[in-house]
Each structure stands twice: as structure tokens, then as C-alpha cells.
Amino acid sequence: MNENEMSFATVVVTYGSIGRFENLLKTIMSALEGGAKKIYLIDNSCSYDLKNKILDKIDEGKIDIVELDKNYGSLVGFSTGLQCALSDSLLKNSDYVLILDDDVILDKNFLKKFVVVERKWRSSGKHIWSLFREGRDQTVSNVADRNISYYQNSVAGFSIFRNKLNYTKRNNALGIPFFIPWAGTFLKKSELSQIDLPAEPYFVYEDDAAFSLNARDKGFDIYRSYDLKLFESSNSWFEEDMTSQSGYKLFYDGHAYPGRFLYKVRNNISLVNHRLITNKAKFITNLVIFILAGFVRYGRLNTNGFGRLWQLCSAVRDGLNDQLGENKSWKL
């Protein structure tokens, strides 16, 4: 296999105001420059005329645009794009599909680098790839990857029962992440067709974690080469001055809308409760300490502080009871 013998299509989901368009355009152009033969662009109810603006910049033959009548969240957005790829008869089963957020940049030498990496590891068993989001992925260390035991019985990544067995030492340059984000997922169309898309109505957050588990359920390992990178073109909600901030701190400080934190906690609790509990007592212990310790450290003894604590407890209850979907009172 060489770079001239393989091809890929790209799924991109976007939403929101015209302020996101500049980075979206950079994402699409980087994918095309990196070798994508087709873009499936999902318009999750942008507040501007995305179609006319994008077709003014991109050849219509290179892009399929699907316009949704409202913002259905990341799961519906990405699932819609992936279904487009699966149903496109012009996309062969041997072609690859790359998933991107609307604010990441693909390396222009991606195909050349991927061919080298895949040739090295293709005999090591069934696998899909996750590109490394440089500067964004806080789960990576130089010597080890978090494994399933890191996440078992945890709450939004928190656990008081951690030990060295929660990490798998890396014996070579190959990363083996347990959970991966949508952005940077790279796999053949034939492989995508084997993996169930998440059915739970998460709305935002944890749907990519569920997809990671579904891939493993079908016998796929997840690989990451740190030569295959995505670059960020914007800051995340939890970043300030290039430094990651505690989601808990931002939630209680009131410097950000509470929705992102609440969706993350609620959906993670639902996911872990169904698929990653090995010891119910440990899970409940982590849950209680997660709530109390966060309030003790960041909460405020005033109306706003107790109001946020009540919101968090409601999100925890909803997660335990699988009350998912969009919560219109949780602003993003």
C-alpha cells in the first residue's frame, strides 16, 4: 500500500454562529489538502447560511452538505455523517473514513505518514486509529496509557482507588488509548460498518466513549501513533491561556455555562453504570466523594453555590436513572 493506492472521506459536524465559520473552513481545506476525496458536512442547525458560504469556497463535487432542522447534538450529528459515508456507493469498502471536529487542522502530509505507520502495524491484529490531538489530549503520558481499570467504577474520570495497574506501560511508539474522541477517528468503511453506533440519547459528551466501547466489543483494538496528528485552531471551553482548567472550578465559578459540565457528568455516570462497574460499592463511594469534594474545594456558601450543587445532584440522579437527551435548561 502507498499513498496513491488509498483514499479517504471526511465527516465534519458544525453548528452555531458565523464566528465558527473561519475555523470550519480551515478544517475542510486541511482535510482536502491532506488527501480527502469527499467531505460529508453536517450542518447541526447553524444560525447562518452555511451552504451558500461553503459552496462559495469549495467545489460542490467535493462536499455533501446535510442540513438538520435543529441542533440535535454530537451523537446525531456524527452518526448522520457516518451513515452518509456508509450509504455512499462511490466510497469503496476499502476506503477510509476520517472524523473531524470543526476546529481542528489535519497535517497536509497525513497520508504519507499514515501509510508508513499502517505498514508497520497492520499485521498486529484488527484495529482502528485515533489521531493525536496535540495540546488537547490530557490522558497521554510519555510511558503509559490508561487502560480499562482506570475507568472502572469511576465518575467523570475520578476515582480514589487508582494504582499502577490502571496504566499499561508502553513498550514501543504505539499508543493504545482506551477512550478516543470522535475527532481523529480513522478507519476503513468496511470496519465502520461492523461497529454499532451508540443508541443512547447522550446529546453531547460520552457518545464517542460509547463508540470506543462498541469498537472493542467487535474485536477492534484502538491504536495511536504520535506521528499522526491533529492541530487545534481554537481553545476549548476548559482552556484559558493555553492551560486546562478544572471543569469543576469553572462550574462553580460561574465563568462558563453549566451545561457542558452537567452533560459530561450525567452521561458519564450513565455509561459507567451500564458498562464499567465491577464493584458497586466503589462506584457509590467515588460518586459521593466526587460531589462532596468538588463542593468543598470550589463551591461557595451562597445561593449561587448551593444552586449549582443542586444542579449537579440533579444531573447525577438523571445519569443513574438514564434520563438522557437534551436538557433545555442546561446552557452550552
Side-chain angles (χ1 to χ4, degrees), residues 43 61 80 86 134 140 156 159 161 239 304:
D43 177 354
T80 299
L86 289 171
E134 190 168 60
V140 174
S159 175
F161 301 103
E239 292 178 330
N304 289 334

Side-chain angles (χ1 to χ4, degrees), residues 147-182:
N147 57 35
I148 186 172
S149 66
Y150 182 95
Y151 297 99
Q152 286 170 335
N153 311 308
S154 65
V155 178
F158 168 82
S159 175
I160 64 168
F161 301 103
R162 295 269 156 74
N163 57 58
K164 63 181 180 180
L165 298 179
N166 301 141
Y167 301 86
T168 301
K169 289 187 176 180
R170 199 177 300 132
N171 297 317
N172 47 49
L174 185 68
I176 45 173
F178 187 73
F179 284 138
I180 57 174
W182 285 122

Side-chain angles (χ1 to χ4, degrees), residues 301-326:
L301 300 177
N302 56 29
T303 301
N304 289 334
F306 286 113
R308 286 289 169 104
L309 177 61
W310 177 257
Q311 284 183 310
L312 177 59
C313 291
S314 296
V316 168
R317 178 202 62 206
D318 288 349
L320 292 172
N321 293 324
D322 297 325
Q323 298 297 313
L324 305 178
E326 182 180 10

Side-chain angles (χ1 to χ4, degrees), residues 124-312:
S124 56
K126 288 175 60 175
H127 60 272
I128 64 176
W129 289 92
S130 173
L131 279 58
F132 176 50
R133 298 184 66 170
E134 190 168 60
R136 179 64 58 85
D137 192 341
Q138 306 300 319
T139 70
V140 174
S141 78
N142 292 327
V143 296
D145 296 284
R146 299 174 181 180
N147 57 35
I148 186 172
S149 66
Y150 182 95
Y151 297 99
Q152 286 170 335
N153 311 308
S154 65
V155 178
F158 168 82
S159 175
I160 64 168
F161 301 103
R162 295 269 156 74
N163 57 58
K164 63 181 180 180
L165 298 179
N166 301 141
Y167 301 86
T168 301
K169 289 187 176 180
R170 199 177 300 132
N171 297 317
N172 47 49
L174 185 68
I176 45 173
F178 187 73
F179 284 138
I180 57 174
W182 285 122
T185 301
F186 190 65
L187 71 173
K188 286 183 179 179
K189 177 179 177 178
S190 61
E191 296 166 339
L192 175 62
S193 67
Q194 299 174 47
I195 301 172
D196 296 329
L197 295 175
E200 301 84 355
Y202 289 117
F203 188 65
V204 291
Y205 296 121
E206 298 303 304
D207 38 298
D208 44 11
F211 182 79
S212 305
L213 291 174
N214 292 349
R216 295 182 185 283
D217 288 346
K218 297 298 182 179
F220 290 96
D221 288 322
I222 299 173
Y223 290 169
R224 176 175 287 152
S225 166
Y226 299 97
D227 293 326
L228 305 177
K229 297 180 180 180
L230 293 178
F231 304 96
E232 304 298 326
S233 62
S234 68
N235 287 335
S236 178
W237 67 279
F238 56 81
E239 292 178 330
E240 183 177 314
D241 298 328
M242 304 299 293
T243 303
S244 293
Q245 306 292 307
S246 164
Y248 235 138
K249 180 178 183 295
L250 294 172
F251 174 68
Y252 277 117
D253 279 355
H255 291 164
Y257 287 135
R260 294 184 184 276
F261 184 73
L262 295 172
Y263 278 118
K264 176 69 177 178
V265 171
R266 183 198 71 179
N267 295 351
N268 178 263
I269 286 172
S270 177
L271 178 76
V272 171
N273 194 34
H274 281 285
R275 306 185 69 171
L276 291 170
I277 286 187
T278 60
N279 186 312
K280 194 75 172 183
K282 286 185 177 181
F283 175 65
I284 297 300
T285 300
N286 283 328
L287 183 56
V288 172
I289 295 176
F290 174 80
I291 296 171
L292 295 179
F295 184 76
V296 169
R297 182 170 183 182
Y298 297 113
R300 299 183 179 185
L301 300 177
N302 56 29
T303 301
N304 289 334
F306 286 113
R308 286 289 169 104
L309 177 61
W310 177 257
Q311 284 183 310
L312 177 59

Side-chain angles (χ1 to χ4, degrees), residues 8-10 28 32 36-41 51 54-65 88 90-91:
F8 70 95
T10 301
I28 293 173
L32 293 172
K37 69 176 186 179
K38 170 70 73 70
I39 306 290
Y40 305 103
L41 177 60
K51 186 172 185 178
I54 206 72
L55 292 181
D56 186 51
K57 305 289 186 180
I58 308 292
D59 180 2
E60 189 170 2
K62 288 282 188 179
I63 191 164
D64 288 350
I65 302 173
D88 190 343
L90 298 180
L91 195 67

